[in-house]
Amino acid sequence: SRMLGGEIEVESEEGKGSTFHCFIIVEKGKALPYAFEYLPKDNTATTLQILVAEDNLLNRKLILTGLKNIGYQADSVTNGYEVLEACEKKTYDLIFMDVQMPEMDGLEATKLLVNRPNGVHRPCIVALTANAFPEDKSAALQAGMDDYLVKPVKLELIQQLLYKLEYEKKHCEVLEK
C-alpha cells in the first residue's frame, strides 16, 4: 500500500480478533472498489467452504493466515489439476485461484469448472494475479471467473468479499449507517 501512498495498521486483542485499517489516497471522484455493508450476525465459525489455489508457498501462507485472522478456514492446493480433484471431493463456495500455476493454470481449471454439467454446484471463483493489465482481467472474466484481485491482495478486500458471500449464503444484519 506504500506504493499508493497509504499505510496499514493492525490492532489485535487475544481472544477477540484483529482489526485492520487500510489508508490509501485515491483521486477525487473515484469510487472505492467495495463498500463495507455486511457483517455476519454472530462470531461463530462461518459456513463458507474455501479453497486457495496458489503454487507460491509464501503467497499461499499469507492468504491462509489472513483468512484465519478474520475467522475463515481454507483448504489449499498448488495447481489446476489439484483444484479439480479437490472439487470432486468437496463442495466449495469460493475458490481463490492463482492465474499462473504449473501443470494446469487457473484459467484452464476455471473453464473446466464452469463447464461442468448442469446441476453440479458452481463455486464463486476469484482470480489472484500479479498482473493488473486490462487484458489480464478480461481473460480471467472470459474464462468464467467472477472477480479479480491483484497481488499482493489487501486483506480488507478479501474480508469484504467473504462477508458479501456469507450474506448471500445466510442472512446477515445490514449495518446501520
Side-chain angles (χ1 to χ4, degrees):
S1 73
R2 285 202 179 100
M3 288 172 67
L4 295 172
E7 58 187 70
I8 297 174
E9 292 176 4
V10 69
E11 296 167 26
S12 190
E13 194 174 330
E14 197 169 329
K16 288 202 170 180
S18 302
T19 305
F20 295 83
H21 300 278
C22 296
F23 302 95
I24 61 167
I25 298 165
V26 293
E27 287 178 47
K28 194 173 179 180
K30 293 256 175 143
L32 287 171
Y34 294 93
F36 232 149
E37 291 178 10
Y38 308 114
L39 288 171
K41 274 185 181 170
D42 50 43
N43 290 327
T44 57
T46 58
T47 57
L48 290 178
Q49 298 295 323
I50 302 168
L51 179 65
V52 173
E54 168 64 72
D55 63 308
N56 180 286
L57 179 64
L58 179 60
N59 287 343
R60 192 166 62 248
K61 282 187 173 179
L62 283 170
I63 294 165
L64 291 171
T65 303
L67 287 168
K68 191 174 180 184
N69 287 344
I70 56 176
Y72 291 88
Q73 295 295 324
D75 298 331
S76 67
V77 294
T78 60
N79 66 49
Y81 287 116
E82 291 176 4
V83 169
L84 299 175
E85 280 177 19
C87 288
E88 288 295 317
K89 296 178 189 152
K90 191 168 172 180
T91 301
Y92 289 99
D93 299 299
L94 172 64
I95 302 174
F96 287 109
M97 183 89 76
D98 185 16
V99 172
Q100 294 179 317
M101 293 183 287
E103 297 179 52
M104 181 190 288
D105 68 21
L107 298 178
E108 187 61 32
T110 297
K111 286 175 191 166
L112 291 168
L113 284 174
V114 170
N115 292 315
R116 289 188 299 179
N118 286 342
V120 176
H121 173 76
R122 185 204 182 301
C124 175
I125 303 171
V126 177
L128 296 176
T129 180
N131 300 326
F133 299 111
E135 57 269 26
D136 295 305
K137 183 173 185 177
S138 175
L141 297 177
Q142 280 177 359
M145 293 181 172
D146 301 288
D147 211 336
Y148 183 91
L149 295 175
V150 178
K151 295 188 265 189
V153 180
K154 290 176 181 55
L155 189 58
E156 191 175 69
L157 290 183
I158 289 178
Q159 191 171 25
Q160 289 168 8
L161 191 139
L162 290 169
Y163 285 168
K164 187 175 168 223
L165 268 181
E166 193 82 11
Y167 172 76
E168 290 167 3
K169 195 170 163 73
K170 66 175 187 185
H171 292 293
C172 299
E173 293 174 86
V174 178
L175 297 181
E176 295 298 323
K177 296 275 187 232

